[in-house]
Amino acid sequence: MESVIYMEKNKRRKRRQKKAKRFFKTQKLNFVTCLVGTVALIIYLILFAVCFKDLEIEVVLSSSANYVAIASCILALIQIIAFVKDSRLHELRAKKERALDLAKEYAESILCEITFIENVLNKHCGKDGTKLEELVMGIRIIGFTNNNLKDKENLKDYAKLFENGQYLIDPDIIIEQAERFPMTSNFFSVNEIKELEKIEKIGEEDADKMKRTTNLKFRVILCNTMNILEYFAMSVNQNVAESEMIFVSLHQTYLKFVHYMYPYICIANKDGESYYTNVIKLYKNWKDKRDENDKENQSPRDESDDSEPLT
């Protein structure tokens, strides 16, 4: 508890320091502008005393008004340029802070959940020897609709896990993984785990009911995670945070999880990509960016190895 209080105090102190720096920077800019104006006025008075002493007062005043107007425009232009520059720096700093907040939210509210879901699906599909990660990461995603899913024959059995709850996941696997992730404690109580361990000793009807209840809770976690992921993707897509910072840290786990959830998203989108639109958009953007980076990082030797031999 004390460490949390200390961290909050430290955050507030850093915020005050940033505000103080911005304040002194603004005051410094105002001082420089006033100094430039004062120097310009002194120079003008000297020139007036030397060059315009023999001219009539009307001519002098007319010329003075013109010079003062020009000087005022120059000073105003300097102020505008400085203001725009400061606003851009402030916006960039705010985007970086928002990126850090999103990364923290992703780590606290999403990352554990997607790891839990991936582990459950891998364990369940691995019972019959299916290497699920290789299967889902090997698919080439073009669209996220039901028709696109129908073209993927190798995902037919895997997709059944997301259809209407007819195909149940082994509840032992769900509970085993739930014990490893504390965030699932709101869904799976200790008593429920103990009862599930005795599932062979209870009646068939009660056992089936407990299996369906456990699967239902797993689906609730999955649905909640996808909704939080949609909000995360929306924030990144709207450019409210520094996207490059987020991409570098999070794109691996994000792209991988979307591959795992590909059948789930496609089943929801029966008529066009109308559900999880931000998740889909961010996936496409980050995938293109990752492929572009991989292509740029490919060595000349790798490119020559990939080329066809001359005949």
Side-chain angles (χ1 to χ4, degrees):
M1 184 66 182
E2 293 180 356
S3 60
V4 174
I5 296 175
Y6 173 77
M7 290 175 63
E8 286 296 326
K9 289 183 178 179
N10 193 31
K11 288 181 181 178
R12 292 175 183 174
R13 181 176 58 83
K14 289 182 178 180
R15 291 195 194 101
R16 287 195 297 268
Q17 289 177 349
K18 289 180 180 179
K19 289 182 180 179
K21 287 181 180 179
R22 288 197 294 268
F23 174 77
F24 286 120
K25 186 176 181 180
T26 304
Q27 294 300 317
K28 181 179 178 181
L29 177 63
N30 293 334
F31 173 76
V32 171
T33 304
C34 292
L35 181 63
V36 172
T38 303
V39 172
L41 180 62
I42 293 173
I43 294 175
Y44 173 75
L45 291 175
I46 294 174
L47 291 174
F48 171 77
V50 175
C51 302
F52 302 140
K53 58 183 179 179
D54 297 330
L55 296 177
E56 296 181 0
I57 189 64
E58 292 82 359
V59 177
V60 173
L61 291 176
S62 177
S63 300
S64 301
N66 292 334
Y67 290 132
V68 169
I70 294 173
S72 299
C73 291
I74 294 174
L75 291 176
L77 182 61
I78 294 174
Q79 285 275 26
I80 292 172
I81 294 174
F83 175 77
V84 171
K85 184 178 179 181
D86 184 67
S87 298
R88 288 178 177 175
L89 290 174
H90 179 71
E91 181 182 2
L92 181 60
R93 189 181 300 112
K95 284 188 174 183
K96 289 183 177 180
E97 291 177 355
R98 179 56 179 157
L100 293 175
D101 292 338
L102 280 176
K104 181 181 179 181
E105 181 180 345
Y106 185 91
E108 293 178 350
S109 305
I110 302 177
L111 188 58
C112 288
E113 279 81 353
I114 67 177
T115 305
F116 166 72
I117 294 169
E118 289 176 1
N119 287 355
V120 170
L121 295 174
N122 277 321
K123 291 283 186 180
H124 178 77
C125 295
K127 292 194 303 180
D128 60 0
T130 302
K131 296 181 179 180
L132 183 59
E133 184 171 345
E134 295 181 5
L135 176 64
V136 297
M137 296 305 295
I139 60 176
R140 183 170 177 265
I141 298 178
I142 299 176
F144 288 83
T145 65
N146 209 348
N147 290 330
N148 296 127
L149 179 61
K150 291 177 181 179
D151 297 334
K152 305 289 189 299
E153 289 293 333
N154 55 344
L155 295 180
K156 186 176 181 180
D157 293 335
Y158 175 56
K160 291 179 180 179
L161 294 175
F162 305 101
E163 293 179 350
N164 302 324
Q166 295 180 358
Y167 294 86
L168 300 180
I169 297 174
D170 187 346
D172 290 335
I173 294 176
I174 298 176
I175 296 301
E176 177 190 353
Q177 295 301 318
E179 289 179 312
R180 298 175 56 187
F181 293 90
M183 85 292 174
T184 62
S185 58
N186 294 332
F187 292 89
F188 303 101
S189 64
V190 177
N191 293 331
E192 184 178 0
I193 294 174
K194 291 181 179 180
E195 289 295 326
L196 194 62
E197 291 174 351
K198 304 175 183 178
I199 197 169
E200 296 179 356
K201 301 179 181 180
I202 63 180
E204 182 177 348
E205 184 178 348
D206 292 336
D208 183 70
K209 181 179 178 181
M210 188 169 293
K211 288 179 180 179
R212 291 188 178 278
T213 301
T214 305
N215 272 264
L216 179 61
K217 292 183 177 182
F218 173 75
R219 291 176 184 277
V220 171
I221 295 176
L222 192 153
C223 182
N224 288 344
T225 303
M226 288 300 298
N227 290 336
I228 297 173
L229 198 68
E230 174 73 3
Y231 169 76
F232 167 81
M234 183 189 303
S235 300
V236 179
N237 290 335
Q238 294 300 320
N239 200 29
V240 298
E242 178 57 46
S243 58
E244 184 64 26
M245 290 177 58
I246 303 175
F247 169 80
V248 172
S249 300
L250 307 179
H251 77 277
Q252 299 96 331
T253 56
Y254 180 87
L255 295 178
K256 179 183 176 183
F257 184 64
V258 172
H259 272 263
Y260 272 87
M261 292 295 101
Y262 176 71
Y264 178 84
I265 299 174
C266 289
I267 291 171
N269 289 320
K270 294 183 179 180
D271 300 317
E273 295 178 350
S274 54
Y275 291 93
Y276 303 110
T277 54
N278 286 285
V279 170
I280 295 171
K281 181 179 178 180
L282 184 60
Y283 169 84
K284 293 178 178 179
N285 291 340
W286 278 8
K287 182 181 179 300
D288 291 342
K289 190 174 184 63
R290 183 197 63 184
D291 294 343
E292 183 180 346
N293 290 345
D294 292 343
K295 188 176 181 180
E296 291 178 356
N297 295 332
Q298 189 178 27
S299 64
R301 183 177 178 180
D302 293 336
E303 293 178 357
S304 61
D305 291 342
D306 293 339
S307 61
E308 297 181 0
L310 297 175
T311 57

PDB file of all heavy atoms in Angstrom, residues 292-311:
ATOM      1  N   GLU A 292       6.272  -4.613 -43.784  1.00  0.00           N
ATOM      2  CA  GLU A 292       7.170  -3.604 -44.369  1.00  0.00           C
ATOM      3  C   GLU A 292       8.493  -3.551 -43.623  1.00  0.00           C
ATOM      4  O   GLU A 292       9.562  -3.476 -44.238  1.00  0.00           O
ATOM      5  CB  GLU A 292       6.478  -2.236 -44.326  1.00  0.00           C
ATOM      6  CG  GLU A 292       7.283  -1.121 -44.964  1.00  0.00           C
ATOM      7  CD  GLU A 292       6.575   0.219 -44.900  1.00  0.00           C
ATOM      8  OE1 GLU A 292       5.366   0.227 -44.596  1.00  0.00           O
ATOM      9  OE2 GLU A 292       7.226   1.252 -45.155  1.00  0.00           O
ATOM     10  N   ASN A 293       8.427  -3.614 -42.279  1.00  0.00           N
ATOM     11  CA  ASN A 293       9.658  -3.615 -41.487  1.00  0.00           C
ATOM     12  C   ASN A 293      10.490  -4.862 -41.747  1.00  0.00           C
ATOM     13  O   ASN A 293      11.724  -4.793 -41.840  1.00  0.00           O
ATOM     14  CB  ASN A 293       9.325  -3.508 -39.999  1.00  0.00           C
ATOM     15  CG  ASN A 293       8.779  -2.157 -39.620  1.00  0.00           C
ATOM     16  OD1 ASN A 293       8.888  -1.191 -40.377  1.00  0.00           O
ATOM     17  ND2 ASN A 293       8.171  -2.054 -38.448  1.00  0.00           N
ATOM     18  N   ASP A 294       9.820  -6.014 -41.858  1.00  0.00           N
ATOM     19  CA  ASP A 294      10.542  -7.257 -42.139  1.00  0.00           C
ATOM     20  C   ASP A 294      11.237  -7.194 -43.493  1.00  0.00           C
ATOM     21  O   ASP A 294      12.365  -7.683 -43.653  1.00  0.00           O
ATOM     22  CB  ASP A 294       9.578  -8.454 -42.104  1.00  0.00           C
ATOM     23  CG  ASP A 294       9.059  -8.734 -40.705  1.00  0.00           C
ATOM     24  OD1 ASP A 294       9.675  -8.236 -39.743  1.00  0.00           O
ATOM     25  OD2 ASP A 294       8.049  -9.436 -40.574  1.00  0.00           O
ATOM     26  N   LYS A 295      10.566  -6.579 -44.456  1.00  0.00           N
ATOM     27  CA  LYS A 295      11.152  -6.465 -45.789  1.00  0.00           C
ATOM     28  C   LYS A 295      12.358  -5.539 -45.776  1.00  0.00           C
ATOM     29  O   LYS A 295      13.378  -5.801 -46.431  1.00  0.00           O
ATOM     30  CB  LYS A 295      10.098  -5.942 -46.771  1.00  0.00           C
ATOM     31  CG  LYS A 295      10.548  -5.958 -48.220  1.00  0.00           C
ATOM     32  CD  LYS A 295       9.416  -5.528 -49.136  1.00  0.00           C
ATOM     33  CE  LYS A 295       9.862  -5.570 -50.597  1.00  0.00           C
ATOM     34  NZ  LYS A 295       8.759  -5.141 -51.502  1.00  0.00           N
ATOM     35  N   GLU A 296      12.262  -4.435 -45.013  1.00  0.00           N
ATOM     36  CA  GLU A 296      13.386  -3.497 -44.921  1.00  0.00           C
ATOM     37  C   GLU A 296      14.569  -4.099 -44.181  1.00  0.00           C
ATOM     38  O   GLU A 296      15.725  -3.797 -44.493  1.00  0.00           O
ATOM     39  CB  GLU A 296      12.925  -2.211 -44.226  1.00  0.00           C
ATOM     40  CG  GLU A 296      11.956  -1.383 -45.045  1.00  0.00           C
ATOM     41  CD  GLU A 296      11.488  -0.161 -44.294  1.00  0.00           C
ATOM     42  OE1 GLU A 296      11.862  -0.013 -43.097  1.00  0.00           O
ATOM     43  OE2 GLU A 296      10.755   0.658 -44.887  1.00  0.00           O
ATOM     44  N   ASN A 297      14.267  -4.945 -43.184  1.00  0.00           N
ATOM     45  CA  ASN A 297      15.336  -5.548 -42.386  1.00  0.00           C
ATOM     46  C   ASN A 297      15.953  -6.778 -43.034  1.00  0.00           C
ATOM     47  O   ASN A 297      16.927  -7.323 -42.511  1.00  0.00           O
ATOM     48  CB  ASN A 297      14.801  -5.928 -41.001  1.00  0.00           C
ATOM     49  CG  ASN A 297      14.391  -4.706 -40.197  1.00  0.00           C
ATOM     50  OD1 ASN A 297      14.932  -3.619 -40.386  1.00  0.00           O
ATOM     51  ND2 ASN A 297      13.428  -4.875 -39.303  1.00  0.00           N
ATOM     52  N   GLN A 298      15.368  -7.230 -44.132  1.00  0.00           N
ATOM     53  CA  GLN A 298      15.898  -8.410 -44.807  1.00  0.00           C
ATOM     54  C   GLN A 298      17.254  -8.068 -45.423  1.00  0.00           C
ATOM     55  O   GLN A 298      17.406  -7.062 -46.109  1.00  0.00           O
ATOM     56  CB  GLN A 298      14.934  -8.889 -45.889  1.00  0.00           C
ATOM     57  CG  GLN A 298      15.307 -10.224 -46.491  1.00  0.00           C
ATOM     58  CD  GLN A 298      14.291 -10.676 -47.534  1.00  0.00           C
ATOM     59  OE1 GLN A 298      13.647  -9.839 -48.133  1.00  0.00           O
ATOM     60  NE2 GLN A 298      14.170 -11.971 -47.735  1.00  0.00           N
ATOM     61  N   SER A 299      18.240  -8.905 -45.179  1.00  0.00           N
ATOM     62  CA  SER A 299      19.593  -8.652 -45.673  1.00  0.00           C
ATOM     63  C   SER A 299      19.669  -8.913 -47.163  1.00  0.00           C
ATOM     64  O   SER A 299      18.884  -9.676 -47.720  1.00  0.00           O
ATOM     65  CB  SER A 299      20.589  -9.549 -44.937  1.00  0.00           C
ATOM     66  OG  SER A 299      20.337 -10.909 -45.226  1.00  0.00           O
ATOM     67  N   PRO A 300      20.636  -8.295 -47.858  1.00  0.00           N
ATOM     68  CA  PRO A 300      20.817  -8.565 -49.290  1.00  0.00           C
ATOM     69  C   PRO A 300      21.057 -10.039 -49.585  1.00  0.00           C
ATOM     70  O   PRO A 300      20.649 -10.551 -50.612  1.00  0.00           O
ATOM     71  CB  PRO A 300      22.031  -7.710 -49.662  1.00  0.00           C
ATOM     72  CG  PRO A 300      22.065  -6.624 -48.634  1.00  0.00           C
ATOM     73  CD  PRO A 300      21.540  -7.259 -47.379  1.00  0.00           C
ATOM     74  N   ARG A 301      21.720 -10.726 -48.655  1.00  0.00           N
ATOM     75  CA  ARG A 301      21.984 -12.147 -48.850  1.00  0.00           C
ATOM     76  C   ARG A 301      20.690 -12.948 -48.851  1.00  0.00           C
ATOM     77  O   ARG A 301      20.499 -13.867 -49.636  1.00  0.00           O
ATOM     78  CB  ARG A 301      22.917 -12.662 -47.751  1.00  0.00           C
ATOM     79  CG  ARG A 301      23.284 -14.130 -47.929  1.00  0.00           C
ATOM     80  CD  ARG A 301      24.273 -14.550 -46.858  1.00  0.00           C
ATOM     81  NE  ARG A 301      24.607 -15.964 -46.991  1.00  0.00           N
ATOM     82  CZ  ARG A 301      25.452 -16.599 -46.194  1.00  0.00           C
ATOM     83  NH1 ARG A 301      26.054 -15.951 -45.218  1.00  0.00           N
ATOM     84  NH2 ARG A 301      25.710 -17.878 -46.381  1.00  0.00           N
ATOM     85  N   ASP A 302      19.762 -12.574 -47.917  1.00  0.00           N
ATOM     86  CA  ASP A 302      18.471 -13.263 -47.870  1.00  0.00           C
ATOM     87  C   ASP A 302      17.698 -13.058 -49.159  1.00  0.00           C
ATOM     88  O   ASP A 302      17.053 -13.952 -49.666  1.00  0.00           O
ATOM     89  CB  ASP A 302      17.640 -12.764 -46.686  1.00  0.00           C
ATOM     90  CG  ASP A 302      18.268 -13.153 -45.350  1.00  0.00           C
ATOM     91  OD1 ASP A 302      19.018 -14.140 -45.346  1.00  0.00           O
ATOM     92  OD2 ASP A 302      18.003 -12.461 -44.353  1.00  0.00           O
ATOM     93  N   GLU A 303      17.780 -11.814 -49.701  1.00  0.00           N
ATOM     94  CA  GLU A 303      17.075 -11.533 -50.941  1.00  0.00           C
ATOM     95  C   GLU A 303      17.637 -12.338 -52.100  1.00  0.00           C
ATOM     96  O   GLU A 303      16.912 -12.824 -52.954  1.00  0.00           O
ATOM     97  CB  GLU A 303      17.155 -10.035 -51.242  1.00  0.00           C
ATOM     98  CG  GLU A 303      16.385  -9.179 -50.233  1.00  0.00           C
ATOM     99  CD  GLU A 303      16.520  -7.704 -50.538  1.00  0.00           C
ATOM    100  OE1 GLU A 303      17.263  -7.383 -51.495  1.00  0.00           O
ATOM    101  OE2 GLU A 303      15.893  -6.890 -49.849  1.00  0.00           O
ATOM    102  N   SER A 304      18.971 -12.502 -52.117  1.00  0.00           N
ATOM    103  CA  SER A 304      19.581 -13.278 -53.195  1.00  0.00           C
ATOM    104  C   SER A 304      19.243 -14.755 -53.073  1.00  0.00           C
ATOM    105  O   SER A 304      19.089 -15.457 -54.056  1.00  0.00           O
ATOM    106  CB  SER A 304      21.102 -13.081 -53.184  1.00  0.00           C
ATOM    107  OG  SER A 304      21.654 -13.539 -51.954  1.00  0.00           O
ATOM    108  N   ASP A 305      19.089 -15.240 -51.816  1.00  0.00           N
ATOM    109  CA  ASP A 305      18.728 -16.641 -51.620  1.00  0.00           C
ATOM    110  C   ASP A 305      17.308 -16.913 -52.080  1.00  0.00           C
ATOM    111  O   ASP A 305      17.003 -17.999 -52.551  1.00  0.00           O
ATOM    112  CB  ASP A 305      18.865 -17.019 -50.129  1.00  0.00           C
ATOM    113  CG  ASP A 305      20.327 -17.033 -49.695  1.00  0.00           C
ATOM    114  OD1 ASP A 305      21.194 -17.101 -50.575  1.00  0.00           O
ATOM    115  OD2 ASP A 305      20.566 -16.952 -48.474  1.00  0.00           O
ATOM    116  N   ASP A 306      16.423 -15.896 -51.931  1.00  0.00           N
ATOM    117  CA  ASP A 306      15.035 -16.075 -52.326  1.00  0.00           C
ATOM    118  C   ASP A 306      14.817 -15.976 -53.818  1.00  0.00           C
ATOM    119  O   ASP A 306      13.800 -16.388 -54.341  1.00  0.00           O
ATOM    120  CB  ASP A 306      14.138 -15.026 -51.628  1.00  0.00           C
ATOM    121  CG  ASP A 306      14.101 -15.262 -50.133  1.00  0.00           C
ATOM    122  OD1 ASP A 306      14.396 -16.399 -49.697  1.00  0.00           O
ATOM    123  OD2 ASP A 306      13.792 -14.298 -49.391  1.00  0.00           O
ATOM    124  N   SER A 307      15.807 -15.405 -54.520  1.00  0.00           N
ATOM    125  CA  SER A 307      15.632 -15.216 -55.963  1.00  0.00           C
ATOM    126  C   SER A 307      15.783 -16.534 -56.699  1.00  0.00           C
ATOM    127  O   SER A 307      16.463 -17.463 -56.230  1.00  0.00           O
ATOM    128  CB  SER A 307      16.669 -14.213 -56.493  1.00  0.00           C
ATOM    129  OG  SER A 307      17.978 -14.702 -56.261  1.00  0.00           O
ATOM    130  N   GLU A 308      15.153 -16.626 -57.853  1.00  0.00           N
ATOM    131  CA  GLU A 308      15.226 -17.848 -58.634  1.00  0.00           C
ATOM    132  C   GLU A 308      16.576 -17.952 -59.324  1.00  0.00           C
ATOM    133  O   GLU A 308      17.141 -16.948 -59.769  1.00  0.00           O
ATOM    134  CB  GLU A 308      14.096 -17.852 -59.681  1.00  0.00           C
ATOM    135  CG  GLU A 308      12.710 -17.861 -59.067  1.00  0.00           C
ATOM    136  CD  GLU A 308      11.643 -17.882 -60.127  1.00  0.00           C
ATOM    137  OE1 GLU A 308      12.022 -17.897 -61.329  1.00  0.00           O
ATOM    138  OE2 GLU A 308      10.449 -17.919 -59.776  1.00  0.00           O
ATOM    139  N   PRO A 309      17.117 -19.163 -59.446  1.00  0.00           N
ATOM    140  CA  PRO A 309      18.412 -19.339 -60.102  1.00  0.00           C
ATOM    141  C   PRO A 309      18.294 -19.060 -61.599  1.00  0.00           C
ATOM    142  O   PRO A 309      17.268 -19.301 -62.226  1.00  0.00           O
ATOM    143  CB  PRO A 309      18.751 -20.814 -59.845  1.00  0.00           C
ATOM    144  CG  PRO A 309      17.423 -21.464 -59.616  1.00  0.00           C
ATOM    145  CD  PRO A 309      16.572 -20.433 -58.948  1.00  0.00           C
ATOM    146  N   LEU A 310      19.364 -18.514 -62.150  1.00  0.00           N
ATOM    147  CA  LEU A 310      19.371 -18.218 -63.563  1.00  0.00           C
ATOM    148  C   LEU A 310      19.576 -19.483 -64.355  1.00  0.00           C
ATOM    149  O   LEU A 310      20.291 -20.396 -63.941  1.00  0.00           O
ATOM    150  CB  LEU A 310      20.498 -17.213 -63.891  1.00  0.00           C
ATOM    151  CG  LEU A 310      20.368 -15.836 -63.240  1.00  0.00           C
ATOM    152  CD1 LEU A 310      21.605 -15.003 -63.555  1.00  0.00           C
ATOM    153  CD2 LEU A 310      19.119 -15.127 -63.687  1.00  0.00           C
ATOM    154  N   THR A 311      18.923 -19.578 -65.528  1.00  0.00           N
ATOM    155  CA  THR A 311      19.088 -20.757 -66.400  1.00  0.00           C
ATOM    156  C   THR A 311      19.759 -20.353 -67.693  1.00  0.00           C
ATOM    157  O   THR A 311      19.677 -19.199 -68.109  1.00  0.00           O
ATOM    158  CB  THR A 311      17.709 -21.365 -66.696  1.00  0.00           C
ATOM    159  OG1 THR A 311      16.877 -20.360 -67.290  1.00  0.00           O
ATOM    160  CG2 THR A 311      17.053 -21.864 -65.421  1.00  0.00           C
TER     161      THR A 311
END
